[in-house]
Amino acid sequence: MTSFSTGQVARGSLAVTKVGTEGKIRIRNGSSGTVHVVVDLQGWFANPLQELTPESFTRMTVMQGSPDGTAVRKVTFAYTDNAGVLRMGSADPSAWGFIAWTAISGQQAYTGPPSLHQRPDSKVQVAAQNIDTNIWSAAETSSAGGVFEAPSSLGCSMAGPPTGVRLDNGGSPVEVLFAVDADSRLWHYRQAGTAWSWTSLGVAGLTGQVTVVEESDNAVRLVARSTTGTVRTALYYPDGALSTWTDLGGQVTGTPTAVVHPGFRSRVVVRGSDGAVLTKVESATGSWSAQWERIGDFTAAGSPAAVMDPDLSRVAVVARGADDELYQIFETATGAGTWGQWRSLNPDPWTPLNVATDPTVATISTGSTQSFVIAYRNRNGAIGLAERRLDHGAGLRGAEVAEMSFEHHTLPPPAE
């Protein structure tokens, strides 16, 4: 602060100050005259966060990139193991037994589920939270897939893992990473142009990892758990604009999941605080169900995963039970919003799956068929995969087809 009397010529001075809420400072002229003020941002202060500990048995992330030309892309797997090693896998969807694993983390350690998205150059990019709380990322060395460069830090100390997405933006794609900091603010890292940086999207009252689904050609829907245990959602646009947050209420745990119905109507699926699997759906006018609907009488032990079956156009939900087995349920018909029965995914009841992680779902294509896979890790570190199959020649119809056709695979684990 500089004080001076009327008529006095004040010399310049310098004050270094910490910014307040949303990066703002307040400057007040207490005199009756005018002053010249120059404000320059030369750095920023952050409350230090303690180094994180790698979480055990975090959820895997799985995705298949869009074809590069006419070639079917391999399926990419990513997870951080119990020691914090970031492991990447690549497999042909027609030959799951020949998956190639690599550890790309070097001496760095990570925690929480990583994120995968496809860049405009067709390369797949992975992003994960380092135990130093910063977000690190790496991309494939070529669109052929399977080989990743060494990760590098993107900075921005965060309280939870990132989520990445590519927005088409009318043919000018924009890549964005989202993450939440220790003050419950949502940040975005826009990988567009030459000035890439983290920017705050404001105090959103969020915690954990943000779920992102493409709701329309020009917007993605963000869904996350609030600091008070409710579910909050907003639309994010290619220019970086964010709609008003809508609080869907409820008392939930874990990470929400979401799918998009035809007509760009989102459905959110969560685990309630009592373990019930709950859902709300968006209407054509943009409003949401007044009440959370319970999906069957199943009690989940972790966060559910949901997917729109690319063949049946029905929503499928998968969750882990208290017995460390996986269970699934489908809509009874396309767009019905009613549900069949929860059924075990274990094809051999005499051999427990011993599922240790929450499940992950991803749609896949072999070029001639479309399906989805459910991926998990068991207590022994093995990678399990349940692949959705349709046997139209078995005489099954309707809900029976939707509930009975999975082919199970055990993927070769990474070499230690």
Side-chain angles (χ1 to χ4, degrees):
M1 180 178 71
T2 298
S3 299
F4 53 91
S5 302
T6 303
Q8 178 183 356
V9 178
R11 296 186 180 277
S13 65
L14 172 69
V16 178
T17 182
K18 181 178 179 179
V19 297
T21 303
E22 289 308 291
K24 298 176 182 177
I25 61 172
R26 178 177 293 179
I27 300 173
R28 181 176 180 269
N29 177 14
S31 75
S32 59
T34 59
V35 295
H36 295 282
V37 178
V38 177
V39 179
D40 188 19
L41 176 64
Q42 294 186 337
W44 62 285
F45 298 86
N47 294 324
L49 293 179
Q50 292 184 346
E51 184 176 275
L52 303 173
T53 300
E55 298 177 39
S56 296
F57 295 113
T58 55
R59 186 180 69 248
M60 299 181 67
T61 307
V62 184
M63 76 161 291
Q64 183 183 29
S66 300
D68 185 14
T70 59
V72 175
R73 289 293 296 262
K74 292 183 177 181
V75 178
T76 301
F77 298 79
Y79 72 95
T80 57
D81 68 16
N82 296 357
V85 178
L86 179 55
R87 298 192 178 276
M88 309 295 300
S90 178
D92 189 310
S94 61
W96 296 117
F98 297 95
I99 186 169
W101 290 102
T102 183
I104 69 169
S105 52
Q107 295 301 311
Q108 299 293 332
Y110 299 85
T111 185
S115 172
L116 294 170
H117 72 274
Q118 189 173 13
R119 306 193 324 185
D121 60 6
S122 292
K123 298 176 183 177
V124 171
Q125 179 171 316
V126 61
Q129 184 179 29
N130 196 294
I131 61 170
D132 66 5
T133 74
N134 289 321
I135 306 301
W136 290 52
S137 75
E140 291 176 323
T141 57
S142 73
S143 59
V147 180
F148 281 78
E149 62 191 15
S152 59
S153 177
L154 303 180
C156 204
S157 183
M158 291 297 174
T163 304
V165 68
R166 183 183 73 180
L167 292 83
D168 287 337
N169 192 27
S172 301
V174 176
E175 301 170 72
V176 186
L177 293 173
F178 299 96
V180 176
D181 70 10
D183 295 320
S184 78
R185 289 183 178 87
L186 177 66
W187 293 70
H188 64 160
Y189 184 90
R190 292 174 57 81
Q191 300 178 92
T194 57
W196 297 3
S197 63
W198 287 100
T199 306
S200 172
L201 285 168
V203 179
L206 306 180
T207 186
Q209 187 176 28
V210 178
T211 296
V212 183
V213 291
E214 185 177 352
E215 183 163 291
S216 68
D217 293 336
N218 62 353
V220 292
R221 179 162 296 281
L222 312 182
V223 186
R225 181 165 50 93
S226 76
T227 53
T228 60
T230 63
V231 177
R232 306 197 76 200
T233 183
L235 290 175
Y236 179 91
Y237 300 94
D239 63 358
L242 189 69
S243 73
T244 302
W245 286 96
T246 298
D247 197 306
L248 301 181
Q251 281 296 304
V252 307
T253 62
T255 303
T257 184
V259 297
V260 179
H261 288 273
F264 305 114
R265 298 181 303 112
S266 292
R267 176 182 292 278
V268 175
V269 181
V270 299
R271 179 185 183 268
S273 57
D274 60 354
V277 179
L278 308 170
T279 185
K280 273 194 175 186
V281 65
E282 184 184 16
S283 71
T285 61
S287 61
W288 290 83
S289 311
Q291 303 294 328
W292 286 96
E293 173 197 359
R294 181 164 185 168
I295 301 177
D297 57 0
F298 177 70
T299 299
S303 301
V307 65
M308 179 66 72
D309 188 307
D311 196 331
L312 298 173
S313 296
R314 303 181 193 179
V315 177
V317 180
V318 186
R320 178 170 53 94
D323 56 358
D324 288 342
E325 298 289 335
L326 288 182
Y327 296 84
Q328 56 85 11
I329 192 170
F330 277 79
E331 281 186 292
T332 56
T334 303
T338 56
W339 306 91
Q341 299 293 319
W342 285 97
R343 297 180 184 271
S344 173
L345 272 174
N346 190 348
D348 181 5
W350 302 106
T351 305
L353 293 179
N354 290 322
V355 176
T357 66
D358 291 337
T360 293
V361 293
T363 56
I364 62 167
S365 172
T366 62
S368 58
T369 62
Q370 289 186 313
S371 182
F372 69 87
V373 293
I374 302 165
Y376 61 92
R377 289 190 290 147
N378 71 13
R379 296 289 173 188
N380 299 321
I383 312 297
L385 197 71
E387 182 179 6
R388 178 76 170 83
R389 292 291 194 184
L390 286 183
D391 186 358
H392 295 289
L396 302 178
R397 294 293 182 270
E400 290 180 319
V401 172
E403 293 172 349
M404 296 180 68
S405 303
F406 285 90
E407 183 175 345
H408 289 256
H409 309 270
T410 300
L411 306 186
E416 298 295 337

